[in-house]
Amino acid sequence: AARHYAAGARVMQSDGRLGAVQLWQSWARMETLRGRVAAARELYKRASGLFPEDAHLLIEWGKLCSEERDVDAARSLFSRVLALRTPPTYGYQCAAALEAREGNAEAARALYEKGTERALARLPTSARGEGDGVALSLTKLLLSWAVFEWRQGEIGRARALFKKAEMLTAATPSAWLFQWRARFEGENGQLALSRHYYARAANVDRTESSIWKMWAEVESEIGDAERAALYARLSLRLEAAAHLTHAAATARSPLARGASPDARIIHS
Protein backbone atom coordinates (compact mmCIF):
# COMPACT_ATOMS: atom_id res chain seq x y z
CA ALA A 1 0.00 0.00 0.00
CA ALA A 2 2.82 2.41 0.83
CA ARG A 3 4.27 1.92 -2.68
CA HIS A 4 0.92 2.83 -4.23
CA TYR A 5 0.65 5.95 -2.09
CA ALA A 6 4.20 6.95 -3.03
CA ALA A 7 3.42 6.46 -6.72
CA GLY A 8 0.26 8.51 -6.42
CA ALA A 9 2.14 11.30 -4.68
CA ARG A 10 4.33 11.68 -7.79
CA VAL A 11 1.35 12.23 -10.09
CA MET A 12 1.05 15.85 -11.20
CA GLN A 13 -2.38 17.36 -10.57
CA SER A 14 -4.14 19.92 -12.78
CA ASP A 15 -3.02 22.70 -10.44
CA GLY A 16 0.63 21.67 -10.79
CA ARG A 17 0.93 20.08 -7.37
CA LEU A 18 2.03 16.50 -6.70
CA GLY A 19 -0.69 14.17 -5.47
CA ALA A 20 -4.15 14.98 -4.15
CA VAL A 21 -4.41 16.19 -0.56
CA GLN A 22 -6.66 13.24 0.29
CA LEU A 23 -3.92 10.86 -0.84
CA TRP A 24 -1.30 12.48 1.39
CA GLN A 25 -3.70 12.44 4.33
CA SER A 26 -4.64 8.80 3.83
CA TRP A 27 -0.97 7.86 3.52
CA ALA A 28 -0.16 9.63 6.77
CA ARG A 29 -3.05 7.89 8.50
CA MET A 30 -1.85 4.52 7.27
CA GLU A 31 1.64 5.19 8.65
CA THR A 32 0.09 6.20 11.97
CA LEU A 33 -1.86 2.94 12.12
CA ARG A 34 1.38 1.06 11.41
CA GLY A 35 2.96 2.77 14.41
CA ARG A 36 5.29 4.83 12.20
CA VAL A 37 4.44 8.16 13.78
CA ALA A 38 7.63 9.94 12.70
CA ALA A 39 6.95 8.95 9.09
CA ALA A 40 3.35 10.14 9.39
CA ARG A 41 4.45 13.51 10.75
CA GLU A 42 6.96 13.90 7.94
CA LEU A 43 4.22 13.18 5.39
CA TYR A 44 1.95 15.79 6.96
CA LYS A 45 4.84 18.26 6.81
CA ARG A 46 5.47 17.54 3.11
CA ALA A 47 1.78 17.72 2.31
CA SER A 48 1.34 21.03 4.14
CA GLY A 49 4.06 22.47 1.94
CA LEU A 50 1.91 21.65 -1.08
CA PHE A 51 -1.41 22.53 0.57
CA PRO A 52 -0.55 25.19 3.18
CA GLU A 53 -4.15 26.34 3.63
CA ASP A 54 -5.90 22.99 3.73
CA ALA A 55 -7.59 23.18 7.13
CA HIS A 56 -8.47 19.50 7.43
CA LEU A 57 -4.91 18.44 6.65
CA LEU A 58 -3.56 20.77 9.34
CA ILE A 59 -6.19 19.58 11.82
CA GLU A 60 -5.28 15.92 11.33
CA TRP A 61 -1.60 16.77 11.75
CA GLY A 62 -2.40 18.74 14.89
CA LYS A 63 -4.47 15.89 16.32
CA LEU A 64 -1.58 13.48 15.78
CA CYS A 65 0.79 15.85 17.58
CA SER A 66 -1.75 16.18 20.38
CA GLU A 67 -2.03 12.41 20.72
CA GLU A 68 1.77 12.24 20.92
CA ARG A 69 1.67 14.89 23.68
CA ASP A 70 3.62 17.37 21.53
CA VAL A 71 1.50 20.21 22.87
CA ASP A 72 3.48 23.09 21.37
CA ALA A 73 3.35 21.60 17.87
CA ALA A 74 -0.36 20.81 18.16
CA ARG A 75 -1.16 24.28 19.47
CA SER A 76 0.84 25.87 16.64
CA LEU A 77 -0.98 23.83 14.00
CA PHE A 78 -4.42 24.59 15.41
CA SER A 79 -3.47 28.27 15.51
CA ARG A 80 -2.62 28.07 11.79
CA VAL A 81 -6.06 26.62 11.15
CA LEU A 82 -7.85 29.32 13.14
CA ALA A 83 -5.88 32.04 11.32
CA LEU A 84 -7.37 30.98 7.98
CA ARG A 85 -9.99 33.24 6.41
CA THR A 86 -12.83 30.78 7.10
CA PRO A 87 -11.59 28.26 9.68
CA PRO A 88 -13.82 25.21 10.12
CA THR A 89 -15.77 24.93 13.35
CA TYR A 90 -14.06 21.61 14.04
CA GLY A 91 -10.76 23.47 14.28
CA TYR A 92 -12.09 25.38 17.28
CA GLN A 93 -13.30 22.13 18.83
CA CYS A 94 -9.88 20.49 18.50
CA ALA A 95 -8.04 23.56 19.79
CA ALA A 96 -10.40 23.83 22.76
CA ALA A 97 -10.03 20.12 23.51
CA LEU A 98 -6.27 20.49 23.62
CA GLU A 99 -6.45 23.39 26.07
CA ALA A 100 -9.01 21.55 28.20
CA ARG A 101 -6.79 18.50 28.42
CA GLU A 102 -3.84 20.69 29.42
CA GLY A 103 -5.87 22.23 32.23
CA ASN A 104 -6.29 25.64 30.58
CA ALA A 105 -10.02 25.94 31.24
CA GLU A 106 -10.37 29.64 30.42
CA ALA A 107 -8.46 29.27 27.15
CA ALA A 108 -10.67 26.30 26.22
CA ARG A 109 -13.83 28.22 27.08
CA ALA A 110 -12.70 31.21 25.02
CA LEU A 111 -12.14 28.96 22.00
CA TYR A 112 -15.56 27.35 22.38
CA GLU A 113 -17.15 30.79 22.61
CA LYS A 114 -15.29 32.12 19.56
CA GLY A 115 -16.07 29.03 17.49
CA THR A 116 -19.75 29.23 18.39
CA GLU A 117 -19.88 32.94 17.60
CA ARG A 118 -18.30 32.45 14.17
CA ALA A 119 -20.50 29.46 13.30
CA LEU A 120 -23.67 31.29 14.31
CA ALA A 121 -22.66 34.23 12.12
CA ARG A 122 -22.32 31.89 9.14
CA LEU A 123 -25.66 30.13 9.57
CA PRO A 124 -28.01 32.77 8.07
CA THR A 125 -25.77 33.43 5.06
CA SER A 126 -24.79 29.85 4.19
CA ALA A 127 -26.12 28.16 1.10
CA ARG A 128 -28.67 25.46 1.81
CA GLY A 129 -26.32 22.47 1.69
CA GLU A 130 -23.44 24.33 3.29
CA GLY A 131 -25.78 25.64 5.98
CA ASP A 132 -26.64 22.08 6.98
CA GLY A 133 -22.93 21.34 7.38
CA VAL A 134 -22.38 24.47 9.45
CA ALA A 135 -25.31 23.56 11.71
CA LEU A 136 -24.01 20.02 12.23
CA SER A 137 -20.50 21.26 13.02
CA LEU A 138 -21.94 23.80 15.45
CA THR A 139 -24.04 21.11 17.13
CA LYS A 140 -20.91 19.02 17.68
CA LEU A 141 -19.04 22.03 19.03
CA LEU A 142 -21.85 22.83 21.45
CA LEU A 143 -21.94 19.21 22.59
CA SER A 144 -18.19 19.18 23.15
CA TRP A 145 -18.50 22.46 25.08
CA ALA A 146 -21.37 21.06 27.17
CA VAL A 147 -19.30 18.02 28.14
CA PHE A 148 -16.36 20.29 28.96
CA GLU A 149 -18.51 22.40 31.31
CA TRP A 150 -19.94 19.24 32.84
CA ARG A 151 -16.40 18.01 33.60
CA GLN A 152 -15.66 21.43 35.11
CA GLY A 153 -18.61 21.02 37.48
CA GLU A 154 -20.63 23.76 35.75
CA ILE A 155 -23.82 21.71 35.58
CA GLY A 156 -26.21 24.58 34.85
CA ARG A 157 -24.01 25.91 32.08
CA ALA A 158 -23.65 22.43 30.60
CA ARG A 159 -27.41 21.85 30.61
CA ALA A 160 -27.97 25.20 28.84
CA LEU A 161 -25.49 24.20 26.12
CA PHE A 162 -27.20 20.83 25.65
CA LYS A 163 -30.48 22.69 25.18
CA LYS A 164 -28.94 25.01 22.59
CA ALA A 165 -27.65 22.04 20.64
CA GLU A 166 -31.06 20.37 20.78
CA MET A 167 -32.76 23.52 19.51
CA LEU A 168 -30.32 23.64 16.61
CA THR A 169 -31.23 20.07 15.60
CA ALA A 170 -34.98 20.32 16.28
CA ALA A 171 -35.84 19.64 12.62
CA THR A 172 -33.45 16.69 12.36
CA PRO A 173 -33.11 15.09 15.82
CA SER A 174 -29.76 13.53 16.66
CA ALA A 175 -29.51 10.19 18.46
CA TRP A 176 -25.99 10.80 19.70
CA LEU A 177 -26.94 14.20 21.10
CA PHE A 178 -29.88 12.72 23.02
CA GLN A 179 -27.64 9.88 24.21
CA TRP A 180 -25.10 12.30 25.64
CA ARG A 181 -27.87 14.32 27.30
CA ALA A 182 -29.24 11.10 28.80
CA ARG A 183 -25.84 10.17 30.17
CA PHE A 184 -25.38 13.68 31.58
CA GLU A 185 -28.73 13.64 33.37
CA GLY A 186 -28.19 10.12 34.69
CA GLU A 187 -24.79 10.92 36.15
CA ASN A 188 -26.29 13.99 37.80
CA GLY A 189 -29.05 12.02 39.53
CA GLN A 190 -31.90 12.89 37.15
CA LEU A 191 -32.85 9.29 36.33
CA ALA A 192 -36.34 10.01 35.00
CA LEU A 193 -34.97 12.65 32.66
CA SER A 194 -32.15 10.31 31.65
CA ARG A 195 -34.71 7.61 30.77
CA HIS A 196 -36.63 10.19 28.72
CA TYR A 197 -33.57 11.09 26.64
CA TYR A 198 -32.55 7.46 26.09
CA ALA A 199 -36.06 6.88 24.74
CA ARG A 200 -35.68 9.85 22.40
CA ALA A 201 -32.28 8.56 21.25
CA ALA A 202 -33.72 5.10 20.55
CA ASN A 203 -36.61 6.61 18.60
CA VAL A 204 -34.10 8.25 16.27
CA ASP A 205 -31.74 5.26 15.96
CA ARG A 206 -33.05 1.93 17.19
CA THR A 207 -29.99 0.04 15.89
CA GLU A 208 -27.32 1.68 18.08
CA SER A 209 -26.47 -0.93 20.70
CA SER A 210 -24.84 1.48 23.15
CA ILE A 211 -28.12 3.39 23.59
CA TRP A 212 -29.89 0.26 24.82
CA LYS A 213 -26.95 -0.82 26.97
CA MET A 214 -26.78 2.52 28.78
CA TRP A 215 -30.56 2.73 29.03
CA ALA A 216 -30.56 -0.73 30.65
CA GLU A 217 -28.15 0.57 33.29
CA VAL A 218 -30.50 3.46 34.09
CA GLU A 219 -33.49 1.12 34.36
CA SER A 220 -31.48 -1.04 36.74
CA GLU A 221 -30.77 2.02 38.90
CA ILE A 222 -34.45 2.98 38.84
CA GLY A 223 -35.32 -0.55 39.95
CA ASP A 224 -37.08 -1.89 36.85
CA ALA A 225 -35.16 -5.17 36.55
CA GLU A 226 -37.41 -6.61 33.83
CA ARG A 227 -36.98 -3.63 31.52
CA ALA A 228 -33.25 -3.50 32.27
CA ALA A 229 -32.82 -7.15 31.27
CA LEU A 230 -34.84 -6.65 28.07
CA TYR A 231 -32.77 -3.68 26.96
CA ALA A 232 -29.50 -5.43 27.85
CA ARG A 233 -30.43 -8.43 25.68
CA LEU A 234 -31.40 -6.15 22.81
CA SER A 235 -28.06 -4.34 23.11
CA LEU A 236 -26.14 -7.61 22.85
CA ARG A 237 -28.07 -8.67 19.74
CA LEU A 238 -27.50 -5.33 18.03
CA GLU A 239 -23.81 -5.34 18.95
CA ALA A 240 -23.34 -8.81 17.45
CA ALA A 241 -25.15 -7.81 14.25
CA ALA A 242 -23.09 -4.61 13.94
CA HIS A 243 -19.87 -6.58 14.38
CA LEU A 244 -20.76 -8.95 11.55
CA THR A 245 -21.73 -6.06 9.26
CA HIS A 246 -18.49 -4.22 9.99
CA ALA A 247 -16.40 -7.32 9.33
CA ALA A 248 -18.07 -7.81 5.94
CA ALA A 249 -17.55 -4.17 4.98
CA THR A 250 -13.88 -4.31 5.99
CA ALA A 251 -13.35 -7.42 3.88
CA ARG A 252 -14.83 -5.64 0.86
CA SER A 253 -12.80 -2.42 1.34
CA PRO A 254 -9.76 -3.13 3.53
CA LEU A 255 -8.08 0.17 2.65
CA ALA A 256 -11.17 2.38 2.83
CA ARG A 257 -10.66 5.68 4.55
CA GLY A 258 -12.27 5.98 7.98
CA ALA A 259 -15.26 8.19 8.50
CA SER A 260 -14.64 11.66 9.91
CA PRO A 261 -15.02 11.86 13.69
CA ASP A 262 -18.54 12.36 14.95
CA ALA A 263 -19.69 13.93 18.13
CA ARG A 264 -19.74 10.68 20.10
CA ILE A 265 -16.01 11.20 20.50
CA ILE A 266 -15.70 14.17 22.80
CA HIS A 267 -12.27 15.53 23.69
CA SER A 268 -12.51 16.88 27.20
Side-chain angles (χ1 to χ4, degrees), residues 12-57:
M12 189 72 71
Q13 303 297 298
S14 58
D15 58 7
R17 291 184 285 195
L18 293 175
V21 64
Q22 294 88 347
L23 180 145
W24 287 97
Q25 196 165 317
S26 294
W27 189 2
R29 285 176 177 170
M30 184 196 74
E31 295 295 355
T32 302
L33 290 172
R34 294 174 65 193
R36 292 164 47 88
V37 174
R41 291 182 64 161
E42 180 60 28
L43 286 168
Y44 279 124
K45 182 178 179 180
R46 289 169 60 190
S48 70
L50 297 170
F51 307 94
E53 296 190 351
D54 189 285
H56 296 290
L57 178 70

Side-chain angles (χ1 to χ4, degrees), residues 146-186:
V147 173
F148 163 76
E149 296 293 359
W150 171 15
R151 303 307 187 207
Q152 293 294 311
E154 297 287 348
I155 303 305
R157 186 177 289 178
R159 186 172 282 115
L161 288 164
F162 275 117
K163 289 179 179 178
K164 283 185 180 179
E166 289 165 31
M167 289 174 62
L168 199 61
T169 58
T172 54
S174 165
W176 43 259
L177 179 58
F178 291 148
Q179 186 175 359
W180 270 101
R181 178 71 187 274
R183 179 179 170 185
F184 166 76
E185 298 296 354

Side-chain angles (χ1 to χ4, degrees), residues 49-245:
L50 297 170
F51 307 94
E53 296 190 351
D54 189 285
H56 296 290
L57 178 70
L58 294 172
I59 287 171
E60 290 303 311
W61 187 8
K63 286 167 59 180
L64 176 60
C65 291
S66 177
E67 289 165 7
E68 292 299 307
R69 291 298 194 268
D70 190 344
V71 175
D72 290 340
R75 186 178 284 131
S76 175
L77 287 162
F78 293 145
S79 293
R80 282 176 62 181
V81 172
L82 302 186
L84 296 174
R85 189 171 62 87
T86 54
T89 303
Y90 187 52
Y92 286 97
Q93 183 176 334
C94 291
L98 175 67
E99 298 302 339
R101 191 192 71 196
E102 294 304 308
N104 302 319
E106 290 307 314
R109 189 172 286 120
L111 286 162
Y112 280 125
E113 289 174 352
K114 184 64 175 178
T116 299
E117 177 187 325
R118 294 200 62 156
L120 285 171
R122 289 175 60 197
L123 275 178
T125 57
S126 300
R128 184 171 181 179
E130 183 189 351
D132 292 343
V134 172
L136 178 59
S137 295
L138 177 55
T139 301
K140 293 178 179 181
L141 180 69
L142 288 170
L143 173 55
S144 180
W145 188 2
V147 173
F148 163 76
E149 296 293 359
W150 171 15
R151 303 307 187 207
Q152 293 294 311
E154 297 287 348
I155 303 305
R157 186 177 289 178
R159 186 172 282 115
L161 288 164
F162 275 117
K163 289 179 179 178
K164 283 185 180 179
E166 289 165 31
M167 289 174 62
L168 199 61
T169 58
T172 54
S174 165
W176 43 259
L177 179 58
F178 291 148
Q179 186 175 359
W180 270 101
R181 178 71 187 274
R183 179 179 170 185
F184 166 76
E185 298 296 354
E187 291 192 18
N188 284 287
Q190 303 296 320
L191 295 181
L193 197 53
S194 178
R195 170 193 270 173
H196 167 76
Y197 275 100
Y198 279 126
R200 293 184 71 179
N203 283 336
V204 176
D205 185 358
R206 304 187 70 83
T207 65
E208 175 54 54
S209 63
S210 63
I211 294 173
W212 298 99
K213 180 180 180 180
M214 296 169 78
W215 191 358
E217 292 170 359
V218 168
E219 294 298 341
S220 180
E221 284 192 62
I222 290 173
D224 192 330
E226 184 177 352
R227 186 177 289 186
L230 173 64
Y231 293 165
R233 288 195 300 271
L234 179 56
S235 172
L236 289 173
R237 287 201 299 270
L238 290 170
E239 189 174 350
H243 179 75
L244 291 173
T245 301

